[in-house]
Amino acid sequence: MNTVIDAHQVSKTFNPTTIPILAVNNVHLHLERGEFTALVGPSGSGKTTLLNLLGGLDKPDKGSIFINGVDITKLSPNALIDFRLNNIGFVFQSFNLIPVLTARENVELIMQLQHKDRREINERVETLFREIGLEDKLDTRPAQLSGGQQQRVAVARALASKPQFVLADEPTANLDSKSATNLLDIMAKLNQEENITFIFSTHDVRVIERARRVITLVDGQIHSDTAKVSTEVPHTAQKRTP
Amino acid sequence: MWLLKLAWKNMWRNRNRTAITIAAVFFSVILSILTNSLQDGIFDNLIKNVVSFYNGYIQVHKQGYWDEQILDNTFEGTSALEDSILALENVNALAPRLESFALASSDTLTKGCLVIGISPEKENSITELKNKLKEGEYLNEQDFGALIAEGLAKRLKLYLHDTLVIIGQGYHGAMAVGKYPIKGILKFGSPDLNDQMLYLSLPAAQELYGAPKMLTSYVVGLENPSNLDPTAEILRDKLGNEYEAMTWEEMMPEVVQHIRTDKGSLVIIQGVLYMLIGFGIIGTLLMMMVERKYEMGMLVAIGMKKRKLMQLMLIESVFTVLSGCILGMLASIPIVFYLNRYPIKFKGELAEVYEEFGFEAIFPTSTNPEIFLTQGLFVICMALLLSLYPIVKIARLDPVAAMKK
């Protein structure tokens, strides 16, 4: 089965009893394994909300989201946490590493939550740090790493659990140009060589240029869904799904 | 194991905050232990002074003696009676007494006093009377000398080897008159005892009062004073209606009342102290929750179960509080022992006020290990109870809301 995410008629309204804001409106979305997809759109278009719904961090008011065949909208809060741990990797905008742990320990944490044995953890950590090019920073604390390096560690942490896909919420927003390019190179490499599925929410043209599929959201609805895009995505995109 | 490691590292994430919390718990534990040990020490000292040094823990009298303390209410002391009391499990000593009030006179001065006829060695085994000897020699069993308390001697202007005259009413209304050389001068902690006590050997007192073989009381020594009431109960059952067995608490209700009143006011002081500790801990927990809300949201988002996060918070709280508690307990040991050895002493007018009420104006601490453990455990339990706050917050944590900046 190559389908990773299958979302049907997903809607989410904030403040339903006061001033309702329809953040995500009747979205259908289908993602296959190995996709490198960017969710784009103006601020308030519903990118982060949709990402939260796909990541099981929030529940839709309507619709269903199947990940690897499991409807995550039907899972209990505890089961959902377990599901996230084993199936979804997260990369946040502001790195979000635990400051008291070293780079290695930040990555190990996920596998410790999965009750992996020490040997497996060590092997995985070494592999991941080799892939992100930070083998020499294993025992360094986040405060001693640059923003780009911290985000690379965050990517390693997201991949540590061997997830079905990685959700990255504006991963390059706080990075300089060089660091952003470096990070994108690493993620693109992991995507191509290891077939890891990445979904980004972003405003960054560098991410959009590298994405093989760009979904544009406007007012909570999918405005366009294109397989290959230019930098003027919202205006020139070709509609694929309603 | 990794959770413990993470908790330990988190504890030192904000060194100042952790240090402040540890310091708050540290000083609170010291204060709490000191307050308690001082309270127990003062009461122990009071009981030791007023009860154990004279009254003993239990006294056996003829039925009705305590209500009407006259020589006509005496009983005959027999070895069979003594043996039956000594045979009881918790009883380790027995001292016979014949006591009555009389007038003590020197050349030109006269003062009321309590004349107590004792078996010197048996009395010493219970009240350690020999230790009170300031000058001279202790009595022997057939002695016809007297031991006089320092305050009484001073009022009568009598010194060692002077002669003292006792005048009073004896058994069945007989005249009681006697002349006794002062063999020793005693010093009591309690000013009340110091101003009125006069000791004779039992045969000398029985001869003075014309009451051969008669006793007013048996003072009972206990191996374990905490079993006071059960022992008194057994004694009553054994002796029947002819005798009364009274505990020091029954004989001195004013002391019991004083202890109760004082304990009541100390409970309020301790309550305030515990509230301060509580506010210190909850303040830290509040700061910590605000500071780490985003991170907690992130941890739940990436797959840490809330139960695990709660454990983490609980371990962090326990680590912090336990550190402060253990340090506080360790630091309080030398202070408590020092104040036990060199007790706080009031001087001047304040001391006089205490002495007027019959108490020594000294405040030793109690070194009972139970105090250290109880106070330490209490603070730990309180901290654990307060840790429910972050636990409830985590239970309600919404990762998306927590990660909104």
Side-chain angles (χ1 to χ4, degrees):
Chain A
M1 189 169 73
N2 279 327
T3 301
V4 178
I5 298 174
D6 205 1
H8 299 278
Q9 294 179 303
V10 174
S11 294
K12 176 76 184 175
T13 306
F14 292 114
N15 311 323
T17 54
T18 52
I19 308 160
I21 299 165
L22 191 58
V24 172
N25 186 6
N26 202 30
V27 166
H28 294 263
L29 191 63
H30 184 86
L31 277 110
E32 298 288 322
R33 186 171 307 283
E35 285 201 27
F36 202 67
T37 302
L39 274 177
V40 299
S43 292
S45 60
K47 300 188 296 294
T48 302
T49 305
L50 182 58
L51 219 57
N52 287 340
L53 293 171
L54 297 178
L57 294 175
D58 216 346
K59 285 212 168 184
D61 304 322
K62 278 197 286 183
S64 55
I65 300 166
F66 286 87
I67 292 173
N68 246 17
V70 177
D71 185 356
I72 61 165
T73 61
K74 300 247 180 331
L75 294 177
S76 69
N78 256 338
L80 199 54
I81 292 175
D82 255 347
F83 190 84
R84 284 201 300 266
L85 174 67
N86 295 307
N87 295 280
I88 308 169
F90 290 90
V91 178
F92 303 97
Q93 185 178 332
S94 48
F95 325 142
N96 288 320
L97 298 176
I98 297 169
V100 292
L101 299 181
T102 61
R104 171 204 288 273
E105 288 166 341
N106 264 286
V107 176
E108 284 179 354
L109 179 70
I110 293 288
M111 288 179 277
Q112 274 156 340
L113 289 171
Q114 289 180 304
H115 307 292
K116 295 267 167 70
D117 65 58
R118 180 37 63 187
R119 208 177 58 124
E120 195 181 344
I121 290 175
N122 287 342
E123 281 172 8
R124 183 85 179 130
V125 166
E126 277 169 29
T127 309
L128 287 168
F129 274 78
R130 203 168 39 245
E131 282 171 348
I132 61 167
L134 289 175
E135 303 100 308
D136 56 335
K137 303 286 183 191
L138 275 165
D139 297 314
T140 309
R141 288 210 179 180
Q144 271 104 49
L145 295 172
S146 68
Q149 288 171 330
Q150 286 188 51
Q151 199 61 306
R152 278 147 71 186
V153 175
V155 170
R157 183 180 65 188
L159 294 171
S161 62
K162 297 186 178 170
Q164 297 294 325
F165 62 93
V166 174
L167 291 175
D169 188 10
E170 309 220 21
T172 55
N174 291 338
L175 300 182
D176 59 62
S177 181
K178 197 180 160 196
S179 300
T181 307
N182 197 342
L183 184 75
L184 284 168
D185 287 345
I186 289 167
M187 292 201 278
K189 188 172 157 238
L190 287 164
N191 171 254
Q192 278 159 16
E193 291 178 4
E194 297 184 26
N195 207 28
I196 293 166
T197 313
F198 282 91
I199 304 153
F200 309 91
S201 78
T202 188
H203 285 109
D204 191 336
V205 286
R206 289 164 301 197
V207 181
I208 299 166
E209 277 169 3
R210 304 286 284 269
R212 292 204 300 279
R213 180 180 171 189
V214 176
I215 298 166
T216 309
L217 283 173
V218 176
D219 295 333
Q221 287 187 304
I222 293 180
H223 179 265
S224 66
D225 187 345
T226 56
K228 197 78 181 176
V229 291
S230 71
T231 50
E232 290 90 7
V233 173
H235 308 292
T236 59
Q238 194 187 344
K239 235 175 192 178
R240 194 165 117 174
T241 53
Chain B
M1 192 61 197
W2 63 269
L3 204 62
L4 287 175
K5 196 175 160 188
L6 179 57
W8 177 255
K9 287 189 172 193
N10 272 335
M11 191 179 141
W12 298 107
R13 164 191 298 235
N14 187 333
R15 283 167 196 266
N16 286 343
R17 190 187 61 207
T18 305
I20 290 169
T21 316
I22 290 178
V25 175
F26 171 81
F27 287 115
S28 308
V29 168
I30 290 183
L31 272 175
S32 181
I33 287 175
L34 262 184
T35 315
N36 269 276
S37 81
L38 208 53
Q39 173 190 301
D40 281 14
I42 290 167
F43 295 142
D44 286 351
N45 193 51
L46 176 74
I47 293 166
K48 204 168 146 194
N49 262 290
V50 182
V51 178
S52 148
F53 281 8
Y54 177 64
N55 264 42
Y57 286 99
I58 297 175
Q59 284 190 12
V60 174
H61 315 122
K62 184 182 176 185
Q63 193 65 255
Y65 171 79
W66 195 251
D67 290 336
E68 199 182 0
Q69 294 177 30
I70 55 169
L71 284 171
D72 291 348
N73 279 338
T74 49
F75 62 94
E76 191 178 338
T78 62
S79 51
L81 183 58
E82 278 188 27
D83 290 346
S84 69
I85 297 171
L86 276 167
L88 290 176
E89 203 176 316
N90 194 26
V91 175
N92 63 0
L94 198 64
R97 281 182 188 166
L98 178 68
E99 59 184 77
S100 182
F101 283 96
L103 293 172
S105 291
S106 60
D107 257 359
T108 53
L109 296 163
T110 301
K111 193 184 173 299
C113 67
L114 182 62
V115 179
I116 308 141
I118 57 168
S119 164
E121 289 313 314
K122 288 177 181 171
E123 183 72 24
N124 188 54
S125 68
I126 291 179
T127 59
E128 294 175 349
L129 190 62
K130 218 181 263 186
N131 292 345
K132 308 287 172 296
L133 197 64
K134 193 186 159 200
E135 279 180 73
E137 285 172 44
Y138 192 59
L139 297 176
N140 58 48
E141 296 294 329
Q142 302 298 323
D143 220 309
F144 271 76
L147 296 177
I148 185 168
E150 190 186 35
L152 181 61
K154 203 180 253 181
R155 282 168 188 259
L156 294 172
K157 293 185 178 162
L158 287 170
Y159 301 94
L160 195 63
H161 306 307
D162 284 354
T163 300
L164 164 85
V165 174
I166 301 173
I167 309 160
Q169 189 180 342
Y171 190 50
H172 288 161
M175 271 294 282
V177 183
K179 201 166 74 170
Y180 304 91
I182 295 175
K183 200 174 174 190
I185 293 177
L186 302 165
K187 185 179 180 176
F188 289 94
S190 161
D192 257 7
L193 302 181
N194 223 25
D195 279 350
Q196 62 172 342
M197 306 302 268
L198 187 65
Y199 286 89
L200 300 175
S201 69
L202 195 56
Q206 283 168 339
E207 188 187 286
L208 170 72
Y209 288 122
K213 293 185 182 171
M214 301 307 277
L215 301 175
T216 48
S217 60
Y218 274 121
V219 181
V220 181
L222 298 185
E223 200 163 311
N224 180 10
S226 58
N227 279 347
L228 179 71
D229 288 329
T231 309
E233 205 51 53
I234 294 168
L235 203 51
R236 281 179 202 121
D237 286 347
K238 188 158 193 174
L239 296 174
N241 285 336
E242 199 183 335
Y243 300 95
E244 59 188 16
M246 296 180 76
T247 63
W248 71 266
E249 289 168 343
E250 289 165 325
M251 291 183 281
M252 309 179 81
E254 69 283 359
V255 175
V256 176
Q257 189 55 41
H258 168 76
I259 290 173
R260 267 193 208 137
T261 312
D262 262 22
K263 276 190 175 169
S265 57
L266 279 165
V267 163
I268 296 168
I269 294 171
Q270 277 198 312
V272 173
L273 197 65
Y274 291 139
M275 266 173 64
L276 289 176
I277 303 173
F279 282 129
I281 296 170
I282 202 87
T284 317
L285 291 173
L286 281 170
M287 273 198 294
M288 186 262 296
M289 284 305 289
V290 171
E291 205 177 273
R292 288 167 60 188
K293 188 176 160 195
Y294 190 97
E295 183 183 303
M296 287 179 187
M298 183 271 292
L299 282 170
V300 174
I302 64 172
M304 184 183 261
K305 281 209 175 125
K306 287 183 177 177
R307 202 181 57 229
K308 212 74 171 171
L309 196 55
M310 288 172 190
Q311 281 173 14
L312 181 69
M313 291 299 124
L314 203 63
I315 295 169
E316 283 179 35
S317 300
V318 170
F319 272 168
T320 311
V321 173
L322 209 61
S323 310
C325 219
I326 290 170
L327 289 174
M329 282 160 80
L330 289 176
S332 64
I333 292 172
I335 303 172
V336 167
F337 273 82
Y338 178 84
L339 288 175
N340 177 267
R341 200 177 166 89
Y342 305 103
I344 300 164
K345 281 182 186 169
F346 282 173
K347 286 178 182 166
E349 281 180 18
L350 197 56
E352 281 170 22
V353 172
Y354 273 89
E355 283 166 3
E356 265 177 36
F357 285 96
F359 306 131
E360 277 183 290
I362 66 165
F363 301 90
T365 48
S366 165
T367 53
N368 184 353
E370 241 179 59
I371 296 169
F372 296 86
L373 292 174
T374 316
Q375 293 310 305
L377 272 176
F378 192 90
V379 174
I380 290 171
C381 289
M382 198 170 67
L384 289 179
L385 201 68
L386 293 172
S387 300
L388 289 177
Y389 169 76
I391 285 170
V392 169
K393 283 292 219 186
I394 291 168
R396 293 176 183 167
L397 184 87
D398 169 14
V400 175
M403 286 195 292
K404 267 186 190 148
K405 281 194 173 167

